[in-house]
Amino acid sequence: KPSDSAIMGMLKRNSTEGKFLNLKYRINAHHELTGIDSKSDKSWVMGVIEEIRGGINPSKEMLVKANNLWKKYDSSHVDIYTH
């Protein structure tokens, strides 16, 4: 049986805030691999995280944008030898 803290960690990771944090980490990792500037997208994600922490749920448009960013920063196809 998982511990209470493990359960809380899983809940947070699967929460809206957790998903946006994962997007932030994904953008960071992509930037480290490619060197491509991603400041504006990362700033947008951080703003959404702050809103979530303030009790504001993201709009449908924000969720669609986040989904598109998730696809944009997919590092699985990055050729590390050319970036």
Side-chain angles (χ1 to χ4, degrees):
K1 177 182 174 211
S3 69
D4 288 345
S5 62
I7 291 170
M8 290 306 291
M10 286 185 274
L11 289 174
K12 183 164 184 159
R13 200 168 31 253
N14 290 324
S15 70
T16 304
E17 179 184 348
K19 290 178 181 182
F20 274 89
L21 283 169
N22 286 336
L23 177 56
K24 182 185 97 165
Y25 303 145
R26 187 176 180 108
I27 292 170
N28 286 343
H30 191 271
H31 173 70
E32 286 181 20
L33 272 175
T34 65
I36 295 171
D37 179 38
S38 53
K39 271 187 214 171
S40 65
D41 290 336
K42 186 175 168 187
S43 293
W44 180 82
V45 171
M46 291 300 299
V48 175
I49 291 169
E50 289 304 311
E51 288 184 8
I52 292 168
R53 289 177 178 165
I56 300 169
N57 289 323
S59 67
K60 181 180 179 183
E61 292 79 15
M62 295 166 96
L63 295 174
V64 168
K65 179 173 180 172
N67 197 35
N68 289 332
L69 290 177
W70 186 265
K71 293 173 189 171
K72 176 180 178 181
Y73 290 104
D74 177 9
S75 296
S76 66
H77 63 275
V78 172
D79 182 353
I80 60 171
Y81 300 106
T82 60
H83 283 86

